[in-house]
Amino acid sequence: MPDADPSYGWHGDDLDLDAYLGRVGFTGERAPTPETLRGLQRAHVTSVPFENLEIILGRPIPLDLPSLQDKLVRRRRGGYCYEHTPLFAAVLERIGYGVTGLQARVSMGAGKLRPATHAVLRVTLPGDDRVWLCDVGFGSGPLEPIELVDGNEVDFDGWRLRLERGAGYSGEEVWTLHQREPDGWIDRHHFTLEPKYLVDYVVGNHYVSTSARSPFTARPYAQKFTAEALYQLDDLTLTVTRPDAREVREVRRADVPALLAETFGIVLDEADAAKLAAE
């Protein structure tokens, strides 16, 4: 039976909830309410950065809960969606939410089919018919969950997003999350409501962390999101995006470790910093 196999869950009982809440600075009520869900997502996406540095440094990306807690909580590092999402799922499960994993196809306006390599969550609350999309691993929000309703448009501190339901190539129901950029709307990613589990995330994680076709194996990447601005480092290009403006500048490779620490909150040890700074 699925409910007898721990592989179907997120191991919330094994989570150090106090340590996690301290890491993200959440001091609200620990109850499965809409207010707590909003507060947890806002705290997570503005506290835990997005980064792929372990891949660039030649290390594997384990997804077991002890490893995720050690890296993202105890060592105060960041990660990408396959690290953020299982950790957040464990938090929500522990508090009492209904949590279902999903996978999305990141498009960013590309207009072509891409693999389903992004992890998001479908979340429900006890005694509440509403369904919420929680996306904590994209690196640029949303600041808060978005109710899964066709045409739902939200504005979180000037960051605007919109959900739309449509039909896929084979007639299946497909949801699209759009985001408002300084120069207009673009589709961010597409997803179905087919449930996914940690074992599915492990497969996707293997591709994005090892394939030569994955952008995460090619160059260092980091993002730090706040209510006011999104900071993105793509190799040696630093982009600062606000709801109504964008600035881009190049940085020196030797300055990358200091930039990661000062802007992204990612502090590397001396050996790793030297490796990233090497020409």
Side-chain angles (χ1 to χ4, degrees):
M1 295 289 293
D3 58 0
D5 184 345
S7 299
Y8 285 88
W10 302 98
H11 309 289
D13 289 342
D14 298 327
L15 177 79
D16 186 341
L17 184 59
D18 289 340
Y20 171 83
L21 296 179
R23 165 71 168 104
V24 302
F26 180 82
T27 58
E29 183 182 15
R30 303 183 186 188
T33 66
E35 294 75 23
T36 295
L37 186 62
R38 294 185 189 102
L40 284 170
Q41 178 156 326
R42 182 176 283 259
H44 186 109
V45 300
T46 58
S47 299
V48 187
F50 180 104
E51 49 133 317
N52 72 332
L53 302 181
E54 292 298 282
I55 299 173
I56 302 304
L57 292 167
R59 302 187 187 113
I61 307 295
L63 299 187
D64 61 282
L65 187 58
S67 296
L68 295 177
Q69 289 190 109
D70 178 63
K71 182 186 178 189
L72 277 66
V73 177
R74 187 183 68 82
R75 293 194 284 127
R76 303 184 70 84
R77 285 283 302 278
Y80 52 79
C81 67
Y82 286 125
E83 298 171 276
H84 285 264
T85 303
L87 176 63
F88 196 66
V91 172
L92 298 185
E93 184 181 74
R94 174 70 172 272
I95 291 175
Y97 294 96
V99 185
T100 302
L102 306 173
Q103 281 183 303
R105 302 178 187 274
V106 176
S107 53
M108 296 304 293
K112 61 182 180 180
L113 182 66
R114 286 179 169 174
T117 57
H118 179 53
V120 298
L121 297 173
R122 176 190 184 275
V123 179
T124 57
L125 289 66
D128 192 324
D129 292 335
R130 291 175 293 179
V131 177
W132 302 89
L133 173 69
C134 287
D135 187 352
V136 298
F138 201 78
S140 56
L143 282 168
E144 297 180 9
I146 304 174
E147 187 178 355
L148 200 65
V149 173
D150 185 23
N152 187 17
E153 185 172 326
V154 296
D155 186 327
F156 300 133
D157 296 0
W159 302 96
R160 296 169 58 192
L161 302 108
R162 184 178 71 247
L163 272 172
E164 290 184 351
R165 180 175 56 197
Y169 181 79
S170 300
E172 75 277 18
E173 179 181 275
V174 175
W175 291 82
T176 300
L177 180 64
H178 302 264
Q179 66 184 44
R180 180 73 180 186
E181 296 280 286
D183 51 358
W185 287 96
I186 66 167
D187 50 290
R188 174 188 282 200
H189 58 61
H190 314 269
F191 60 95
T192 72
L193 299 183
E194 179 185 355
K196 301 294 181 180
Y197 305 96
L198 185 59
V199 291
D200 300 309
Y201 288 177
V202 168
V203 174
N205 178 58
H206 177 72
Y207 171 80
V208 299
S209 65
T210 64
S211 173
R213 300 186 66 179
S214 167
F216 291 165
T217 64
R219 59 194 185 275
Y221 198 82
Q223 294 189 125
K224 173 66 175 178
F225 188 54
T226 71
E228 295 78 28
L230 168 65
Y231 300 86
Q232 297 171 296
L233 180 66
D234 185 348
D235 197 9
L236 298 179
T237 301
L238 177 65
T239 303
V240 182
T241 304
R242 295 177 174 80
D244 59 354
R246 179 178 288 122
E247 306 167 18
V248 181
R249 68 179 176 90
E250 299 302 308
V251 299
R252 298 190 309 156
R253 192 167 300 280
D255 295 334
V256 166
L259 179 65
L260 288 170
E262 295 165 6
T263 301
F264 298 88
I266 300 171
V267 179
L268 303 174
D269 64 28
E270 186 174 341
D272 287 348
K275 188 172 182 179
L276 277 186
E279 295 291 345

